[in-house]
Amino acid sequence: MPHHPSEEEAPTGITEKIAKDPSSATESTASDHEDHHNEHAPGAHGKASALDFQSKGPQIPMNMDEDGKPLVKLSLPLEYQQDLFSEIRGDDELVLLARGLGLLRIVTNLLHSYDVVGNSLIVIVGADDRENGWIGEALAEHAAISKSSVARGLSQVNTDAMSVGTREKMYAQGGIFSITSRILVVDLLSKLLDPETVTGLVVLHSERIVATSIEAFIIRIYRQMNRAGFLKAFSDNPEPFTTGFAPLSTMMRNLFLRKPSLWPRFHVTVAKSLEGRKKAEVIELEVPLTENMRDIQNAVLECVEVSISELRKADTGIELDDWTLDSALHKSFDVIVRRQLDPIWHRVSFRTRQIVNDLSVLRSILHALLTYDAISFLKYLDTILAAHQPPPGSTRQNQSPWLFLDAAHTIFETARRRVYAGKPAGEHAATAASIGSTADSLRPVLEEQPKWALLAEVLEEIERDNYFNAVPRDDSNGTILIMCSDQVTCRQLREYLQNMHVHPQAGDGNAEFDAEDAEDDLKPSASFMMRRKLRDYLDWKKDFVRVSASLFAENNKALNGFADKRSNTAGYHGKGPPNKRRRVRGGATVASAGRSVNGSLQMVEDKESQMASLVADIQPTVADGMRKDEIAVDSLEDMEEHFELYEMQDLVVIHPYDGDMDEHVLEETKPRYVIMYEPEAAFIRRVEVYRSSHGDRNVRVYFMYYGGSVEEQRYLSAVRREKDAFTRLIKEKGNMAVTLTLDGAAPADPQEHFLRTVNTRIAGGGRLAATAEPPRVVVDVREFRSSLPSLLHGRSMIVVPCMLTVGDYVLTPTICIERKSVRDLISSFKNGRLFNQAETMLQHYKHPMLLIEFDQNKSFTLDPFADATFEKSIKSADDSRDLQSKIVLLTLAFPRLKVIWSSSPYQTAEIFAELKNKQEEPDPVKAVQMGLDAGQDPMDQQSFNMVPQDMLRAVPGVTGKNMHRIVLETEDLRHVSRLSEAELDEMVGVEAGRQVHRFFNRSVLEE
C-alpha cells in the first residue's frame, strides 16, 4: 500500500489535488505577506512567558510564586498554539483558525489563564451544549493541574427555569459563565448583569454574527457600557467571511474589533509544527465504485445537470455564474439558490419551485448511494417516489421534472438490480439482466458496498501487524479507531463487523449454497446481514403500502369537492386518472417503479409468483436463530455484576465525526490505528495535531475514499474553498482600512441630543418642552428572538425587557402593538390565538395595533405565502379560508384595531420612532400589570417552556382559556397524550376533551 504524505506536500494521489500550490512550507507562503511579519513574535521561540500573559485590555494581576513565576500551567505543546495564545492574551482580536487545528483547546487555555487568577467575571457567547461540556471539563482539569484554590470553572445559564434571584447571586460571585444569547441580552438590558462588572467577553462562532443578530446586540450593549473589558472572537469557518462587499471589515464592525488574526493550515508556524519528525503515517486507499453504483451516480448527476439548466432557462434575472454542477454538490447549494430566489419567489413559476426542491432531494440520493447499503438505499428511493407522486387530477406539469427523465428510470431500475433480479426458467440466473415479464421468479443479488471488503482486509492487516509486533513500541494502545460520517454508518459497520464471518449453512434452504464453496466461509461476507435486511425490507413494504393507501384515501376525501368540478373526470367512468398511482393491496408484497401514461415514474407491483421464490431463498437459517437481538433499552440494574471496562488493547471503536469532540476521542482511546472510512479534511489535521503533540505515540491512518465519486469531489472542493477563503482574507486584510469603532455609541453631540428630545407640540397654549430622557420602549422578553429590539436599541431607544401579558411592544401609555411575522400570522389564525390577543389589547389600551412584518430579503407581498396557508390544488371556493379574507374578518370584528404593514424590521423601527414622536413614555410597571389577575405574579409565566406551549396551542380543542389549566395539571406533552378522555373531560370540558383525545389517539392506518 502506498504511503500517504501530509496534506500540504503530497506529490501524488488525492491530496495532490488538495494543496499542491505555491503555499507550501518550503516556498513562498501566504504567511510571507507583509501583514504576517512580526505578527507572532511573542513566544515564538519557546513557551508563552508571564509577560505574554499581560493583557493590554483590563489589567488582571497574575498570581506569582516565590520565584516570580506565574502559577498557570497550560496544555499547548505546539509552537503555533503558544504563539496564538500569546497574541490573543495580549490583544482584542478576531481569530480565524483553520478547521481541525484545535480552536477549543486555545479557548480553554485562555479561559483558564483568567480563571486561575480569580476575582473575574467572564461571559462566553455562542457556545452550544457540546462545547459547554468540553470547556467545563477542560477548565476542571486545568484547575486540578494548576492546584488553584480560586478557580471556579464554568457555570452554565441556559434555561428560563433558573430564577432571576439565582442568576443575580451567580453573577455577584463571579467566574466564567456560558449564557444563552436570549437570556444574556435580557439580563444586560435589565442590569441584572451590569456590563461594567464584566471582565471580558469571549465570542465563539463569530461567523454567525450579522448586524441584526442577537449576538451583535449583546456586543453593542457590552461595548457601550464597558470600554475597558476585553473582547475576543473566535471562528474556524472562514467561508462566511468572504461573501459580499468587504466582508471582513463588515464583520469587524459588527464585532467592534480592529485586528483580525488569520491562521490557515499553510501558515509558516502551523506547517512547521505539524510537518516535523513526528508526522503520522497515512495510507491512501482508493476504492473503485461498482458498475451499478457508477451508473446510478451518473444518472443522478445527469438529473442535477438538467435541473440546473432548467433553472437557467427560467430567466429569473439573478446571477447564475455559481450555478454549476460542482457547486451543486455542496450541501448548502439549494439553500443559496432559494435565498437568491426569495425576493421574486411569488413570480417564480411552480415548475421552478419544484426544481429548487428537487436539487436537495437529488443531493441526498447521492449521499445515500455511498453510505447506505443496497437495501436501505432502495427503501429510501421507495419513500422518495411515493412522496413525489401527484394527487389525482393533477397534470404532468405538477410533477417533479426529473422523474420524467430516462436517467430517473435508470436510478430506480439499477437500485432494484442491486437487491434482486429476475431468474428466467431454463436459463442460468446470471443471464437475467432485469426484472421483466419473461422472469417467472426472482433471486437475491444483495450487492455489498465495496468499502466493506476493504475494511475487513485492513483489519486483517492490522491483526497480522500486531501478531508479528506483539511488544508495544510506544505509549499508544492497540485500539483501532474507525471514523464515519454519522451514526447510521456506525451502526451499519458495527453490524457488518459482527456478522462478516457468519455464513448460511448447507441444508438451511439456501438454494445458492454449494458444498464446494465451503472454503468461502473463511472470507468476510455481508450475506448474512443483507439477507436479514431483505426480509425486513419485504415486511416493511407491506406496511408501507398500507399506510400509503390509507393516506391516499384520506387525501382523496379532501379532494372530492375539487375533483368533482373537473370536467374531464367523468370521462374515466369511475376509474382513476391515467397517471393515478397503482396501489398494492392485500397480499401483494413489493412494488417497483414503472412508467405511467403521461411518462412519469409510478409504483407498479411485482407478481406473487416472482416474490414467492425470492422469499424462499432468504428464509431464516440456523445461524439466524443463534443470533441475539439487539438490546434497545437496558435498565442497568446489577451493573457491577454484568458490566466491566473494556481492555483498550483489544478494542475496535466506531465513532462518527463530531467536530472538536474528535480530539477527546483521540486523547482518550490513544489509538495506534485510525481508519477513516469516509474522507474528512478537519479530522486529518486533528490526527496531525495529536501526533505532533505526543512524541511517544505512533499513529497509522488508513484513508479510504471512492475513486471518481462525488465523495472525493466534495472533499476536494471543501479543502479548496477553505484555502481560497483564507487567500482572499489575507488579501483583504492587507488592503483593509483601520476600523474605527465608536464602541457602540452614537455621536455624543449635546446639541443634537437636546434637539432630539424637544417636544415642539405647543398648540392649545402648550409650552415648548424638552426632556433629557431618551425614548423608551417596553418589549416582551419572548420578542428577543427577533432582530427588532436590536434595531430599536440602535436608534438610541431604551429597550426595557418585561414579561408582558398583553401585546409584544408598548410604545406609549395608549399604544400597544402585537407583532406578527407572516408565518406566525398564519398559525395564529389557524389556532384562533390572534382573536384572543386582539380582544385583550382592546380591553386595556386605547390604540391597539397589529404589526404584520415581512422579511427584508423577501418580497413585500402575501403571494409567496399562499402555499403556506392551503394547497392550491385543494383550495375550495370558500374564500374565508384565505389569509387576506381572514385579515378582513379580523378588522370587521375589531374596528378599533389598526393594522400596520412593514416590509422589514428596519422599516418597523422607523414606524415605531414616528409613533412615539411627541408622545409620553410608557410605564414598564403598568405595562406588566396589564391583563394580570389581582395578586398574580408576572414571573409565574416565565417558569414554563414556551415551545411546548406553542405546540399545545395547535392541538384541536385547546384554547387560550383551558390551556393554562392543562399546563398546570400536566408534566409535559407526553403526559397530555396519555390522558384518558374522562380525565380530559374533567380538565377542559366534554367537547374539548373529546377533540384533544381524538387528536392524540388517532391512527394513520384508519380510513
Side-chain angles (χ1 to χ4, degrees):
M1 294 182 180
H3 180 277
H4 190 289
S6 67
E7 180 183 333
E8 303 301 327
E9 295 181 341
T12 58
I14 188 171
T15 51
E16 181 179 7
K17 308 170 190 175
I18 301 171
K20 185 66 175 176
D21 58 44
S23 58
S24 62
T26 56
E27 300 174 4
S28 174
T29 69
S31 299
D32 291 332
H33 193 279
E34 60 182 356
D35 291 291
H36 278 270
H37 285 309
N38 301 323
E39 188 174 305
H40 311 290
H45 302 289
K47 294 188 177 180
S49 64
L51 293 177
D52 294 332
F53 292 163
Q54 296 303 317
S55 172
K56 299 177 183 178
Q59 298 301 314
I60 299 178
M62 302 294 294
N63 287 344
M64 312 291 283
D65 59 14
E66 296 178 356
D67 298 329
K69 296 180 180 179
L71 295 175
V72 181
K73 296 183 179 179
L74 304 177
S75 59
L76 299 173
L78 300 182
E79 181 180 351
Y80 82 88
Q81 296 173 340
Q82 298 164 11
D83 291 354
L84 178 54
F85 175 86
S86 301
E87 179 182 319
I88 191 64
R89 188 63 166 78
D91 294 327
D92 289 351
E93 61 184 17
L94 166 65
V95 175
L96 272 173
L97 189 66
R99 277 186 292 266
L101 296 184
L103 180 65
L104 276 186
R105 179 183 290 269
I106 304 293
V107 173
T108 52
N109 279 272
L110 175 68
L111 293 173
H112 173 63
S113 69
Y114 291 107
D115 189 29
V116 75
V117 177
N119 194 26
S120 61
L121 175 58
I122 299 173
V123 177
I124 303 173
V125 180
D128 55 31
D129 292 339
R130 297 183 314 156
E131 290 166 340
N132 285 332
W134 170 297
I135 295 172
E137 183 178 340
L139 287 178
E141 292 179 357
H142 281 299
I145 294 173
S146 296
K147 298 180 181 180
S148 172
S149 59
V150 295
R152 296 187 177 92
L154 180 69
S155 301
Q156 296 185 40
V157 182
N158 54 8
T159 173
D160 289 338
M162 186 176 292
S163 66
V164 173
T166 304
R167 298 205 301 270
E168 188 173 15
K169 290 180 181 178
M170 293 174 61
Y171 297 151
Q173 294 173 357
I176 299 177
F177 294 90
S178 177
I179 311 175
T180 56
S181 298
R182 195 170 65 87
I183 296 176
L184 178 57
V185 70
V186 172
D187 288 350
L188 289 174
L189 289 172
S190 62
K191 295 299 180 70
L192 186 69
L193 173 60
D194 190 352
E196 295 181 0
T197 64
V198 177
T199 307
L201 208 63
V202 175
V203 183
L204 303 182
H205 300 291
S206 56
E207 72 277 358
R208 303 175 185 172
I209 295 180
V210 295
T212 57
S213 65
I214 192 170
E215 289 80 11
F217 189 12
I218 291 169
I219 296 173
R220 188 194 316 140
I221 298 172
Y222 170 70
R223 267 294 172 242
Q224 281 185 359
M225 303 294 181
N226 186 346
R227 303 189 182 186
F230 68 78
L231 174 60
K232 306 179 191 301
F234 298 89
S235 175
D236 59 357
N237 187 10
E239 285 88 348
F241 291 88
T242 59
T243 56
F245 175 74
L248 182 59
S249 59
T250 302
M251 186 67 69
M252 300 301 290
R253 284 196 298 271
N254 293 338
L255 293 169
F256 294 93
L257 293 172
R258 298 185 182 184
K259 180 182 177 182
S261 180
L262 309 178
W263 293 79
R265 171 62 178 83
F266 53 80
H267 192 286
V268 169
T269 311
V270 177
K272 179 182 177 183
S273 301
L274 300 183
E275 297 176 5
R277 295 177 301 169
K278 302 177 182 179
K279 289 198 300 183
E281 178 186 0
V282 183
I283 298 176
E284 175 187 341
L285 302 173
E286 179 176 348
V287 186
L289 292 172
T290 64
E291 184 178 352
N292 287 333
M293 293 176 69
R294 182 169 287 105
D295 291 343
I296 295 176
Q297 176 179 277
N298 294 337
V300 175
L301 291 177
E302 181 182 344
C303 293
V304 172
E305 197 166 4
V306 171
S307 299
I308 293 177
S309 64
E310 289 292 328
L311 285 178
R312 290 175 173 272
K313 293 178 184 177
D315 192 21
T316 54
I318 60 179
E319 185 63 38
L320 305 176
D321 292 341
D322 293 335
W323 291 17
T324 62
L325 183 60
D326 180 58
S327 59
L329 300 178
H330 193 253
K331 62 181 180 180
S332 61
F333 175 73
D334 50 317
V335 179
I336 296 173
V337 172
R338 177 61 193 266
R339 188 183 299 124
Q340 292 179 351
L341 292 176
D342 268 341
I344 58 171
W345 191 251
H346 62 292
R347 293 190 281 110
V348 172
S349 65
F350 181 72
R351 181 182 178 88
T352 303
R353 298 184 190 185
Q354 276 189 322
I355 294 174
V356 173
N357 295 329
D358 291 341
L359 285 174
S360 60
V361 175
L362 291 169
R363 198 183 64 248
S364 67
I365 292 177
L366 279 176
H367 175 73
L369 172 66
L370 301 178
T371 56
Y372 291 3
D373 59 84
I375 299 171
S376 299
F377 180 68
L378 179 60
K379 181 191 292 188
Y380 180 63
L381 290 182
D382 285 342
T383 58
I384 289 178
L385 188 57
H388 283 73
Q389 289 301 312
S394 66
T395 60
R396 175 171 178 164
Q397 285 72 22
N398 287 344
Q399 300 179 43
S400 295
W402 70 277
L403 290 175
F404 295 93
L405 301 175
D406 291 336
H409 185 73
T410 302
I411 294 172
F412 290 90
E413 280 295 320
T414 309
R416 277 190 294 117
R417 285 204 304 270
R418 297 178 67 203
V419 179
Y420 55 87
K423 185 168 59 176
E427 298 182 15
H428 194 270
T431 62
S434 63
I435 305 170
S437 58
T438 59
D440 56 1
S441 61
L442 299 175
R443 64 180 179 88
V445 177
L446 305 179
E447 180 179 281
E448 299 182 10
Q449 294 292 95
K451 281 186 179 180
W452 291 349
L454 184 61
L455 177 62
E457 182 182 341
V458 170
L459 291 175
E460 185 179 351
E461 176 184 320
I462 293 174
E463 187 175 356
R464 287 198 305 266
D465 184 56
N466 286 332
Y467 178 78
F468 290 110
N469 301 281
V471 180
R473 301 182 304 271
D474 51 32
D475 189 43
S476 297
N477 292 323
T479 304
I480 302 172
L481 179 61
I482 304 176
M483 300 299 296
C484 308
S485 59
D486 51 31
Q487 290 284 1
V488 175
T489 310
C490 288
R491 288 193 293 268
Q492 175 196 104
L493 292 183
R494 184 190 64 177
E495 186 175 2
Y496 170 74
L497 295 178
Q498 288 175 343
N499 301 311
M500 64 182 179
H501 293 299
V502 180
H503 297 269
Q505 300 298 318
D508 286 334
N510 183 13
E512 295 292 319
F513 186 84
D514 189 351
E516 297 179 357
D517 297 331
E519 59 184 18
D520 291 340
D521 265 3
L522 301 176
K523 296 181 180 179
S525 172
S527 59
F528 177 84
M529 178 182 75
M530 297 294 285
R531 285 159 57 89
R532 184 193 59 78
K533 284 181 175 289
L534 183 54
R535 289 194 298 270
D536 294 342
Y537 168 74
L538 297 179
D539 293 337
W540 170 85
K541 194 69 176 181
K542 296 177 183 178
D543 295 335
F544 176 71
V545 169
R546 287 176 55 215
V547 173
S548 185
S550 175
L551 293 177
F552 168 78
E554 182 176 331
N555 189 30
N556 202 24
K557 292 178 184 177
L559 288 165
N560 280 338
F562 173 75
D564 291 342
K565 297 178 183 180
R566 296 179 61 90
S567 59
N568 59 350
T569 305
Y572 297 119
H573 303 288
K575 299 180 181 179
N579 66 335
K580 177 178 176 180
R581 184 165 112 197
R582 290 185 63 186
R583 295 290 162 173
V584 184
R585 301 179 183 273
T589 53
V590 174
S592 55
R595 290 288 183 184
S596 64
V597 175
N598 69 348
S600 67
L601 285 174
Q602 65 173 175
M603 306 291 287
V604 297
E605 62 193 65
D606 292 312
K607 298 179 181 179
E608 281 291 336
S609 59
Q610 293 176 335
M611 299 312 303
S613 62
L614 180 61
V615 173
D617 279 346
I618 60 172
Q619 287 299 315
T621 64
V622 174
D624 288 289
M626 297 174 60
R627 305 300 294 179
K628 295 181 180 179
D629 294 333
E630 290 289 336
I631 299 176
V633 179
D634 194 335
S635 61
L636 297 181
E637 296 179 359
D638 301 326
M639 181 175 175
E640 295 182 358
E641 298 181 7
H642 300 284
F643 295 89
E644 62 182 0
L645 293 176
Y646 283 115
E647 175 60 43
M648 298 300 291
Q649 295 296 331
D650 301 314
L651 197 61
V652 177
V653 179
I654 306 176
H655 199 277
Y657 294 121
D658 200 15
D660 286 318
M661 303 301 117
D662 293 339
E663 295 182 29
H664 267 322
V665 177
L666 290 171
E667 293 289 347
E668 292 177 3
T669 59
K670 297 193 292 186
R672 183 175 293 122
Y673 306 98
V674 177
I675 302 175
M676 296 180 61
Y677 187 76
E678 288 157 314
E680 175 70 22
F683 186 77
I684 294 179
R685 295 170 182 167
R686 296 188 208 282
V687 174
E688 287 181 324
V689 172
Y690 169 78
R691 177 66 183 90
S692 300
S693 302
H694 301 281
D696 56 346
R697 298 179 190 176
N698 293 319
V699 182
R700 180 189 297 174
V701 181
Y702 294 89
F703 183 87
M704 301 172 63
Y705 66 96
Y706 285 116
S709 69
V710 293
E711 179 183 70
E712 178 187 13
Q713 183 63 33
R714 192 182 297 121
Y715 169 75
L716 297 173
S717 299
V719 178
R720 185 180 65 249
R721 278 195 305 271
E722 183 193 75
K723 184 178 175 186
D724 293 343
F726 270 116
T727 303
R728 288 195 294 268
L729 286 172
I730 292 171
K731 291 180 180 178
E732 184 180 352
K733 179 184 175 182
N735 301 324
M736 185 175 64
V738 177
T739 304
L740 296 177
T741 63
L742 295 168
D743 294 330
D749 186 349
Q751 183 178 1
E752 181 183 353
H753 182 71
F754 173 79
L755 293 175
R756 191 186 299 119
T757 59
V758 169
N759 186 350
T760 58
R761 186 176 182 181
I762 58 176
R767 295 182 178 181
L768 180 65
T771 173
E773 184 181 2
R776 184 170 62 238
V777 178
V778 180
V779 183
D780 186 28
V781 293
R782 288 158 290 200
E783 277 295 305
F784 283 90
R785 298 186 181 95
S786 67
S787 59
L788 183 55
S790 174
L791 296 176
L792 294 175
H793 185 269
R795 295 181 68 90
S796 300
M797 294 186 186
I798 297 178
V799 177
V800 182
C802 296
M803 178 63 71
L804 297 181
T805 306
V806 180
D808 293 329
Y809 296 85
V810 179
L811 304 185
T812 71
T814 60
I815 298 178
C816 175
I817 296 180
E818 180 72 28
R819 189 192 72 90
K820 298 286 184 185
S821 64
V822 180
R823 295 198 178 276
D824 190 22
L825 180 69
I826 294 170
S827 63
S828 298
F829 271 128
K830 287 182 178 180
N831 56 30
R833 184 178 57 189
L834 183 57
F835 290 90
N836 296 331
Q837 293 171 335
E839 187 176 359
T840 54
M841 284 195 298
L842 286 168
Q843 291 176 0
H844 297 93
Y845 288 94
K846 184 178 179 180
H847 301 295
M849 300 181 184
L850 172 65
L851 169 67
I852 302 176
E853 186 179 84
F854 289 74
D855 191 339
Q856 60 181 344
N857 297 320
K858 296 184 179 180
S859 57
F860 189 27
T861 175
L862 290 174
D863 290 340
F865 302 94
D867 55 349
T869 52
F870 305 100
E871 194 68 32
K872 289 184 178 180
S873 60
I874 64 175
K875 187 164 68 171
S876 64
D878 186 8
D879 290 335
S880 63
R881 300 176 63 187
D882 185 69
L883 177 60
Q884 299 180 25
S885 302
K886 288 192 172 185
I887 296 176
V888 173
L889 290 176
L890 181 69
T891 56
L892 293 176
F894 305 103
R896 284 175 47 209
L897 181 67
K898 303 297 188 292
V899 180
I900 302 174
W901 299 84
S902 175
S903 61
S904 69
Y906 291 95
Q907 186 180 13
T908 303
E910 295 178 4
I911 294 173
F912 280 14
E914 291 294 328
L915 290 174
K916 285 186 63 62
N917 190 23
K918 306 173 186 177
Q919 299 292 330
E920 297 181 7
E921 299 299 332
D923 185 356
V925 177
K926 292 182 178 179
V928 170
Q929 293 174 347
M930 291 289 186
L932 293 177
D933 298 334
Q936 184 179 355
D937 187 359
M939 297 307 297
D940 290 345
Q941 306 177 31
Q942 196 170 5
S943 60
F944 298 114
N945 196 342
M946 296 307 300
V947 176
Q949 289 190 48
D950 293 338
M951 296 175 64
L952 191 59
R953 287 190 185 98
V955 176
V958 177
T959 63
K961 295 180 179 179
N962 61 27
M963 190 190 72
H964 189 61
R965 185 171 182 182
I966 296 176
V967 171
L968 290 176
E969 298 188 12
T970 58
E971 298 177 359
D972 49 26
L973 285 176
R974 181 169 55 182
H975 186 193
V976 178
S977 66
R978 293 177 177 177
L979 291 176
S980 65
E981 188 171 352
E983 292 173 326
L984 287 169
D985 291 347
E986 296 178 2
M987 195 178 299
V988 298
V990 177
E991 179 60 26
R994 185 184 63 82
Q995 294 182 16
V996 174
H997 185 268
R998 182 182 178 188
F999 173 81
F1000 282 112
N1001 293 274
R1002 186 180 180 188
S1003 172
V1004 295
L1005 298 178
E1006 293 178 357
E1007 289 291 338

